[in-house]
Amino acid sequence: MSSDYFPTEAAKGLADSQLRSNLRVATHTIREKSAAVISEVDDWQQLREAGRRTKHHAVRHLDRHLLALEQSVTEAGGQVHWAADGASANRIVGDLIEATGEREVVKVKSMLTDEIGLNRALAERGIAAYETDLAELINQLSGDAGSHIVVPAIHRNRSEIRDLFRDQLDGHADLDDSPPALADAARLHLRRRFMTARVAVSGANFAVAETGTVCVVESEGNGRMCTTLPSTLITVMGIEKVLPRLEDLGVLLQLLPRSATGERMNPYTSLWTGITPGDGPQQFHLVLVDAGRTNALADPTGRQALHCIRCAACLNVCPVYERVGGHAYNSVYPGPIGAILTPQLTGMERGRSLPWASSLCGACYEVCPVKIDIPTVLIHLRGKVTKLEQQEGAGRNERSVMTFARIVMSRPRLYRLGQRIVRWQLRLLARLPRVARALPGMSGWTGVRELPEPEDDQTFRDWWRGRATP
Ligand code: SF4
């Protein structure tokens, strides 16, 4: 990702009125639903604090909990694999599928497998991976990337989806755009996949160290089909998803659905522990993936991004996300959480414009169910990017300007003279907007803002001197 990717792509999103309209309707609907069910919970703030503590403790002692998880899963009949990066994880998953002799797998929605590009890696080995979440299916059929964490096809409206299904799914040339008709078409298409798949790949919302239990929550039932019907289940999980105790789920499973979809509980919460002879998959593999997470863990301020439970509440309230859309972030994690998580996972050299891809309004912090202080992390990461750019030799102009300002501001006479000159320049530039927009070194600022003309000749100092003393 180039460092200026976000500004370029954000400009495209801003120019797309259909996209902005789709996003506004969808995000406002979710956040109103969410606010209504949250208002029913008297101790919501205490619940948030409990969620924050749970994730803080889990991430703080990650090494211990991961080893405990490995032991529990192994004792329950599963196999645990460790992957330092996305390429290793993709190779492990590909090898496991090939060992079954299958060339097709069904998939439960998983942000991590999108992050590491699993589908593409499997396709290169001749293995077809079929997405079964409705929104992921829409994106797979259209060749689109996801644009929202919980609703990856949020940028599409119903008539666009109808056209896609008419074109891509057999026997649906007369499909209308009502939600039941669209859901039925997808259901028929997916049912055939579920009934024939011998291998499934899932992500994980949580995994419990003390019991080896893995948890996936979803709304459509596709996850339940994938985690029960095939004979082999491969779960690919980021290492930060581990929780110490089963009772921790009691907190997080209250916070997640209310914040994510505005539901009191998830329609489908699947929990499994290793394998059960004669019931469900008889082979279970858990692939634990780092892929930059230990880099984030090394940063005492930035590491709270690892507490994220992927509810997307921060996206739904973000004034920037609503206007530019998810694709502008060039990451499977768009919006405020993407602005702080992606640069830490990929390295600050890449995605360096992302810490600026969010306002500091604080709305994201207010809604985050595990109280991630996104504005503080944004400022922290901006500092890291600035330091990096200084090391690369950038920022010389800014440093020169600041040195000049220090000299002028520490000499009262020079400062007064400077004020007069700047006022004169501002008046001139306000009358010459074209010149103002093209000012060398300033056009990034003046090109998108109108310069205000100073109202009169009186400075604050003049006013202060001339005011009536009581
Ligand atoms: S940062 Fe908080 S609000 Fe945003 S997706 Fe993660 S848990 Fe949800």
Side-chain angles (χ1 to χ4, degrees), residues 101-119:
E102 296 293 321
R103 308 308 293 174
E104 293 184 347
V105 297
V106 284
K107 277 188 72 206
V108 188
K109 179 180 180 314
S110 153
M111 302 297 296
L112 176 58
T113 58
D114 290 348
E115 177 191 325
I116 62 178
L118 178 67
N119 289 7

Side-chain angles (χ1 to χ4, degrees), residues 149 308-314 337 364 367-370 372 374:
I149 290 174
C308 177
I309 57 173
R310 312 282 190 262
C311 73
C314 56
I337 181 59
C364 47
V367 296
C368 179
V370 287
I372 298 173
I374 295 175

Side-chain angles (χ1 to χ4, degrees), residues 343-409:
Q344 297 195 81
L345 296 182
T346 60
M348 298 307 297
E349 302 77 22
R350 303 175 71 213
R352 62 176 66 177
S353 60
L354 287 176
W356 280 267
S358 184
S359 71
L360 299 173
C361 66
C364 47
Y365 172 66
E366 294 295 323
V367 296
C368 179
V370 287
K371 297 176 78 172
I372 298 173
D373 189 351
I374 295 175
T376 295
V377 182
L378 284 169
I379 292 169
H380 171 69
L381 296 181
R382 289 178 190 187
K384 283 179 104 168
V385 172
T386 303
K387 274 202 190 111
L388 184 70
E389 290 184 342
Q390 281 173 353
Q391 284 162 9
E392 291 170 351
R396 281 203 198 97
N397 289 349
E398 194 179 333
R399 278 203 299 283
S400 308
V401 169
M402 287 300 164
T403 305
F404 180 69
R406 178 173 53 77
I407 293 168
V408 172
M409 292 171 100

Side-chain angles (χ1 to χ4, degrees), residues 435-450:
V435 178
R437 278 198 288 275
L439 273 184
M442 296 282 289
S443 56
W445 178 267
T446 54
V448 291
R449 289 171 176 80
E450 285 180 6

Side-chain angles (χ1 to χ4, degrees), residues 41-100:
V41 184
D42 293 337
D43 59 352
W44 180 252
Q45 293 309 326
Q46 288 93 322
L47 208 52
R48 282 179 80 209
E49 178 58 20
R52 186 196 69 76
R53 282 169 187 258
T54 300
K55 288 299 293 185
H56 174 80
H57 173 79
V59 168
R60 189 77 190 82
H61 303 285
L62 199 54
D63 51 346
R64 185 148 52 85
H65 300 315
L66 286 170
L67 290 175
L69 176 66
E70 180 181 38
Q71 188 178 346
S72 307
V73 169
T74 307
E75 284 171 2
Q79 288 181 50
V80 175
H81 312 260
W82 297 83
D85 53 30
S88 312
N90 291 339
R91 194 173 54 251
I92 290 167
V93 176
D95 289 348
L96 291 171
I97 296 168
E98 280 182 356
T100 66

Side-chain angles (χ1 to χ4, degrees), residues 1-206:
M1 186 196 307
S2 80
S3 60
D4 59 355
Y5 184 91
F6 182 81
T8 315
E9 293 306 305
K12 286 186 199 160
L14 280 170
D16 187 340
S17 56
Q18 178 67 59
L19 172 76
R20 283 190 283 120
S21 163
N22 294 353
L23 282 176
R24 190 168 46 252
V25 171
T27 55
H28 285 236
T29 304
I30 300 171
R31 70 199 225 191
E32 279 160 24
K33 230 176 126 192
S34 175
V37 291
I38 285 173
S39 69
E40 299 169 353
V41 184
D42 293 337
D43 59 352
W44 180 252
Q45 293 309 326
Q46 288 93 322
L47 208 52
R48 282 179 80 209
E49 178 58 20
R52 186 196 69 76
R53 282 169 187 258
T54 300
K55 288 299 293 185
H56 174 80
H57 173 79
V59 168
R60 189 77 190 82
H61 303 285
L62 199 54
D63 51 346
R64 185 148 52 85
H65 300 315
L66 286 170
L67 290 175
L69 176 66
E70 180 181 38
Q71 188 178 346
S72 307
V73 169
T74 307
E75 284 171 2
Q79 288 181 50
V80 175
H81 312 260
W82 297 83
D85 53 30
S88 312
N90 291 339
R91 194 173 54 251
I92 290 167
V93 176
D95 289 348
L96 291 171
I97 296 168
E98 280 182 356
T100 66
E102 296 293 321
R103 308 308 293 174
E104 293 184 347
V105 297
V106 284
K107 277 188 72 206
V108 188
K109 179 180 180 314
S110 153
M111 302 297 296
L112 176 58
T113 58
D114 290 348
E115 177 191 325
I116 62 178
L118 178 67
N119 289 7
R120 200 175 45 246
L122 293 180
E124 283 165 10
R125 295 174 70 155
I127 299 167
Y130 297 111
E131 297 290 348
T132 62
D133 172 86
L134 178 55
E136 292 285 359
L137 171 70
I138 292 165
N139 284 342
Q140 188 171 45
L141 290 175
S142 61
D144 250 359
S147 61
H148 188 276
I149 290 174
V150 174
V151 200
I154 198 168
H155 54 288
R156 297 267 181 198
N157 62 28
R158 282 193 278 146
S159 55
E160 290 173 314
I161 296 165
R162 177 205 56 204
D163 294 346
L164 179 72
F165 281 6
R166 279 182 180 176
D167 192 40
Q168 299 268 336
L169 302 185
D170 289 338
H172 294 289
D174 299 327
L175 191 65
D176 66 59
D177 69 355
S178 67
L182 297 174
D184 259 356
R187 190 178 291 125
L188 276 173
H189 171 76
L190 290 171
R191 189 59 54 130
R192 288 191 282 273
R193 300 257 182 251
F194 291 133
M195 300 315 285
T196 54
R198 308 287 301 153
V199 181
V201 174
S202 85
N205 290 92
F206 310 103

